């Protein structure tokens, strides 16, 4: 585990809720602003100027961690399926109770597709 999150015994694993607790403790000690969209980033002298939904911010350094998997990609073919075929992207799938009680086709065989199958 990342040392910033505290000590961890060798070959031991923290549970998910323990990791969340540690991240929350770390975040409580930082000036975190949640739910604020960054709409522009420019160089400003030796640092950067950011335009955000919560006002302008200047910073010496910026880490962009906006993710590369947060836009669902649905094949164009999906639009040609009849409306009676329910379709879900993995981003909105939460469990089998969501699905009609009929045959299911999982499209895509990477980790998420295999876990869902
Ligand atoms: C459907 C699905 C299932 C997955 N299942 C697993 C799994 O079982 N196990 C696993 O290990 N990984 C899984 N992953 C992958 C995992 O979610 C990603 O690898 C991980 O979340 C990437 O973390 P990240 O911090 O780089 O980006 P994200 O978690 O995508 O975080 C990026 C953040 O940046 C924010 N953001 C974006 N643009 C802006 C902006 N302009 N201003 C402010 N904020 C912005 C977003 O709102 C988001 O909160 C899954 C991914 C998907 C899509």
């Amino acid at each position: 585990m990342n040392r910033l999150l505290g000590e961890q015994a060798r070959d031991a694993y923290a549970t998910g809720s323990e990791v969340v607790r540690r991240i929350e403790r770390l975040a409580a000690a930082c000036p975190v602003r949640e739910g604020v969209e960054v709409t522009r980033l420019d160089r400003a002298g030796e640092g950067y100027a950011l335009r955000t939904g919560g006002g302008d911010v200047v910073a010496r350094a910026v880490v962009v961690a906006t993710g590369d998997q947060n836009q669902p990609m649905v094949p164009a073919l999906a639009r040609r399926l009849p409306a009676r075929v329910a379709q879900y992207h993995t981003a909105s799938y939460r469990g089998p109770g969501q699905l009609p009680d009929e045959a299911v086709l999982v499209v895509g065989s990477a980790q998420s597709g295999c876990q869902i199958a």
Side-chain angles (χ1 to χ4, degrees):
M1 177 155 22
N2 187 318
R3 290 244 168 107
L4 275 175
L5 295 179
E7 289 304 315
Q8 184 71 34
R10 195 180 166 85
D11 297 330
Y13 295 93
T15 61
S17 46
E18 173 59 19
V19 173
V20 168
R21 248 193 315 278
R22 292 184 187 200
I23 291 174
E24 284 176 342
R25 204 179 313 138
L26 189 64
C30 304
V32 174
R33 300 183 201 180
E34 291 181 80
V36 177
E37 186 184 13
V38 176
T39 54
R40 196 179 165 93
L41 172 64
D42 292 303
R43 291 218 67 127
E46 294 294 300
Y48 298 90
L50 294 89
R51 183 157 303 154
T52 83
D56 294 348
V57 176
V58 290
R60 270 178 300 161
V62 174
V63 176
V64 178
T66 47
D68 65 351
Q69 299 182 337
N70 44 24
Q71 295 291 335
M73 298 263 295
V74 178
L77 175 70
R79 285 197 297 273
R80 290 172 35 202
L81 295 175
R84 67 187 165 78
V85 178
Q87 296 185 46
Y88 299 90
H89 187 272
T90 44
S92 60
Y93 176 79
R94 292 295 173 270
Q98 235 176 305
L99 305 176
D101 192 18
E102 294 180 65
V104 173
L105 173 67
V106 178
V107 179
S109 61
Q111 290 94 327
S112 294
C114 290
Q115 285 169 5
I116 289 169

